[in-house]
Amino acid sequence: IYGGKLSMMVDEEYLNLFDKPETKACSKCKEDKLLTEYRPDPRLSHGLQAECIACYRKRDLKFRKEKPFDRRCVSVKRQATKKKIPFNLTAEYLESIWTKKCPVLGLELDINSGKTKDNSAQIDRLVPAKGYVKGNVSWLSFRANRLKSNATALEHIKIGLWMLGEFNDG
Protein backbone atom coordinates (compact mmCIF):
# COMPACT_ATOMS: atom_id res chain seq x y z
CA ILE A 1 0.00 0.00 0.00
CA TYR A 2 2.09 2.82 -1.31
CA GLY A 3 1.62 6.25 0.32
CA GLY A 4 -0.36 4.78 3.22
CA LYS A 5 0.43 3.82 6.78
CA LEU A 6 2.40 0.70 5.84
CA SER A 7 4.69 2.72 3.59
CA MET A 8 5.28 5.21 6.39
CA MET A 9 6.28 2.43 8.81
CA VAL A 10 8.67 0.90 6.30
CA ASP A 11 10.27 4.27 5.70
CA GLU A 12 10.72 4.84 9.46
CA GLU A 13 12.10 1.34 9.95
CA TYR A 14 14.48 1.87 7.05
CA LEU A 15 15.66 5.20 8.45
CA ASN A 16 16.22 3.66 11.90
CA LEU A 17 18.80 1.34 10.36
CA PHE A 18 21.18 4.27 10.01
CA ASP A 19 23.14 5.80 12.86
CA LYS A 20 21.64 9.03 14.05
CA PRO A 21 24.05 11.71 15.23
CA GLU A 22 24.32 11.75 19.02
CA THR A 23 22.89 14.75 20.82
CA LYS A 24 22.57 15.99 24.36
CA ALA A 25 20.61 18.76 26.07
CA CYS A 26 22.46 21.93 26.98
CA SER A 27 22.33 22.69 30.70
CA LYS A 28 21.61 26.39 30.00
CA CYS A 29 19.35 26.70 26.95
CA LYS A 30 17.91 23.14 27.36
CA GLU A 31 18.07 22.53 23.58
CA ASP A 32 19.17 19.17 22.19
CA LYS A 33 22.35 19.81 20.23
CA LEU A 34 24.91 17.71 18.41
CA LEU A 35 27.87 16.61 20.52
CA THR A 36 30.12 18.68 18.23
CA GLU A 37 28.42 21.79 19.66
CA TYR A 38 30.03 21.24 23.08
CA ARG A 39 33.52 22.04 24.30
CA PRO A 40 35.63 19.04 25.32
CA ASP A 41 36.39 18.64 29.02
CA PRO A 42 38.61 15.66 29.85
CA ARG A 43 37.89 16.10 33.58
CA LEU A 44 34.32 14.89 33.08
CA SER A 45 33.43 11.22 32.58
CA HIS A 46 31.60 11.85 29.28
CA GLY A 47 34.32 14.27 28.15
CA LEU A 48 32.09 17.25 27.27
CA GLN A 49 31.01 20.38 29.09
CA ALA A 50 27.39 20.63 30.19
CA GLU A 51 26.63 23.84 28.32
CA CYS A 52 26.87 24.27 24.57
CA ILE A 53 29.50 26.48 22.95
CA ALA A 54 26.95 29.21 22.14
CA CYS A 55 25.81 29.47 25.77
CA TYR A 56 29.40 29.35 27.03
CA ARG A 57 30.39 32.23 24.72
CA LYS A 58 27.39 34.29 25.78
CA ARG A 59 28.18 33.74 29.49
CA ASP A 60 31.91 34.43 28.97
CA LEU A 61 31.24 37.68 27.06
CA LYS A 62 28.96 38.87 29.88
CA PHE A 63 31.61 37.99 32.49
CA ARG A 64 34.32 39.82 30.51
CA LYS A 65 32.26 42.99 30.32
CA GLU A 66 30.88 42.97 33.86
CA LYS A 67 33.98 41.77 35.74
CA PRO A 68 37.08 42.40 33.63
CA PHE A 69 39.51 42.27 36.57
CA ASP A 70 38.08 38.97 37.84
CA ARG A 71 38.34 37.53 34.34
CA ARG A 72 41.94 38.69 33.97
CA CYS A 73 42.86 37.34 37.41
CA VAL A 74 41.52 33.88 36.45
CA SER A 75 43.44 34.00 33.18
CA VAL A 76 46.74 35.04 34.80
CA LYS A 77 46.34 32.40 37.52
CA ARG A 78 45.94 29.77 34.79
CA GLN A 79 49.16 31.00 33.14
CA ALA A 80 51.02 30.92 36.46
CA THR A 81 49.86 27.38 37.17
CA LYS A 82 50.87 26.28 33.68
CA LYS A 83 54.31 27.90 33.98
CA LYS A 84 54.68 26.70 37.60
CA ILE A 85 55.48 30.18 38.89
CA PRO A 86 54.25 32.00 42.03
CA PHE A 87 50.85 33.71 41.99
CA ASN A 88 49.10 35.76 44.70
CA LEU A 89 47.12 38.38 42.74
CA THR A 90 43.48 39.24 43.34
CA ALA A 91 40.97 41.02 41.12
CA GLU A 92 40.93 43.86 43.66
CA TYR A 93 44.72 44.24 43.43
CA LEU A 94 44.64 44.26 39.61
CA GLU A 95 41.96 46.94 39.71
CA SER A 96 43.99 48.99 42.23
CA ILE A 97 47.02 49.13 39.89
CA TRP A 98 44.93 49.72 36.73
CA THR A 99 45.99 52.66 34.63
CA LYS A 100 44.03 53.82 31.65
CA LYS A 101 47.18 54.41 29.62
CA CYS A 102 50.15 52.24 28.82
CA PRO A 103 53.03 53.57 30.96
CA VAL A 104 55.50 52.83 28.16
CA LEU A 105 53.80 53.99 24.95
CA GLY A 106 50.94 56.14 26.27
CA LEU A 107 48.29 54.15 24.39
CA GLU A 108 44.76 54.15 25.83
CA LEU A 109 44.42 50.65 27.32
CA ASP A 110 41.40 48.48 26.52
CA ILE A 111 40.85 45.69 29.03
CA ASN A 112 38.18 43.95 26.92
CA SER A 113 39.70 44.09 23.44
CA GLY A 114 41.26 40.64 23.42
CA LYS A 115 44.91 39.73 23.10
CA THR A 116 46.10 40.95 19.71
CA LYS A 117 45.30 44.65 19.39
CA ASP A 118 48.12 47.10 20.08
CA ASN A 119 46.18 48.75 22.92
CA SER A 120 44.99 45.49 24.54
CA ALA A 121 45.75 45.59 28.28
CA GLN A 122 48.13 42.91 29.51
CA ILE A 123 49.61 42.02 32.88
CA ASP A 124 53.40 42.16 32.69
CA ARG A 125 55.81 40.60 35.17
CA LEU A 126 58.56 43.09 35.96
CA VAL A 127 60.93 40.30 37.02
CA PRO A 128 59.64 37.19 35.21
CA ALA A 129 61.19 34.68 37.65
CA LYS A 130 59.30 36.19 40.62
CA GLY A 131 55.98 35.27 39.03
CA TYR A 132 52.59 36.95 39.14
CA VAL A 133 52.84 38.42 42.63
CA LYS A 134 51.85 41.73 44.17
CA GLY A 135 54.50 44.37 43.53
CA ASN A 136 55.93 42.51 40.53
CA VAL A 137 53.24 43.21 37.92
CA SER A 138 52.00 46.18 35.96
CA TRP A 139 49.57 46.89 33.16
CA LEU A 140 51.09 47.34 29.70
CA SER A 141 49.74 47.52 26.18
CA PHE A 142 50.09 44.43 24.02
CA ARG A 143 52.41 46.40 21.75
CA ALA A 144 54.74 47.46 24.57
CA ASN A 145 54.78 43.95 26.00
CA ARG A 146 55.54 42.49 22.57
CA LEU A 147 58.35 44.99 21.99
CA LYS A 148 59.74 44.36 25.46
CA SER A 149 59.52 40.59 25.01
CA ASN A 150 62.19 38.93 27.11
CA ALA A 151 65.06 41.36 26.51
CA THR A 152 66.90 43.00 29.37
CA ALA A 153 66.99 46.76 29.93
CA LEU A 154 70.62 46.84 28.76
CA GLU A 155 69.71 45.00 25.55
CA HIS A 156 66.95 47.54 24.88
CA ILE A 157 69.39 50.40 25.43
CA LYS A 158 71.85 48.81 23.00
CA ILE A 159 69.11 48.39 20.39
CA GLY A 160 68.00 52.00 20.92
CA LEU A 161 71.54 53.32 20.57
CA TRP A 162 72.07 51.22 17.44
CA MET A 163 68.79 52.49 15.94
CA LEU A 164 69.69 56.10 16.74
CA GLY A 165 73.08 55.62 15.11
CA GLU A 166 71.50 54.08 12.02
CA PHE A 167 68.91 56.84 11.69
CA ASN A 168 71.43 59.66 12.29
CA ASP A 169 73.81 58.30 9.64
CA GLY A 170 71.06 58.22 7.00
Side-chain angles (χ1 to χ4, degrees), residues 20 22 24 32 34 42 79 81 84 106 116 119 123-124 149 158 162 165 169:
K20 293 182 182 176
E22 289 188 61
K24 80 175 209 166
D32 268 340
L34 295 174
Q79 289 175 32
T81 302
K84 298 179 181 168
T116 58
N119 70 330
I123 297 293
D124 179 55
S149 189
K158 287 179 180 179
W162 175 81
D169 290 343

Side-chain angles (χ1 to χ4, degrees), residues 77-91:
K77 183 175 185 178
R78 190 177 304 125
Q79 289 175 32
T81 302
K82 192 175 179 181
K83 294 176 181 181
K84 298 179 181 168
I85 56 177
F87 173 89
N88 72 357
L89 303 177
T90 63

Side-chain angles (χ1 to χ4, degrees), residues 7-27:
S7 165
M8 184 76 137
M9 287 187 348
V10 170
D11 289 344
E12 284 178 26
E13 286 175 20
Y14 177 75
L15 290 174
N16 286 334
L17 295 174
F18 298 98
D19 288 336
K20 293 182 182 176
E22 289 188 61
T23 62
K24 80 175 209 166
C26 172
S27 64

Side-chain angles (χ1 to χ4, degrees), residues 23-85:
T23 62
K24 80 175 209 166
C26 172
S27 64
K28 300 290 182 205
C29 66
K30 309 297 183 206
E31 292 179 31
D32 268 340
K33 297 190 175 187
L34 295 174
L35 297 183
T36 56
E37 295 183 57
Y38 293 86
R39 293 167 39 107
D41 191 339
R43 298 171 298 172
L44 302 174
S45 59
H46 50 75
L48 297 172
Q49 289 189 343
E51 66 184 339
C52 67
I53 292 172
C55 289
Y56 170 83
R57 285 187 179 147
K58 194 181 301 181
R59 181 176 55 82
D60 188 52
L61 185 61
K62 182 180 177 190
F63 183 57
R64 283 179 190 221
K65 286 182 179 179
E66 292 177 2
K67 298 188 174 197
F69 298 103
D70 293 68
R71 168 82 167 61
R72 194 54 62 95
C73 194
V74 168
S75 174
V76 171
K77 183 175 185 178
R78 190 177 304 125
Q79 289 175 32
T81 302
K82 192 175 179 181
K83 294 176 181 181
K84 298 179 181 168
I85 56 177

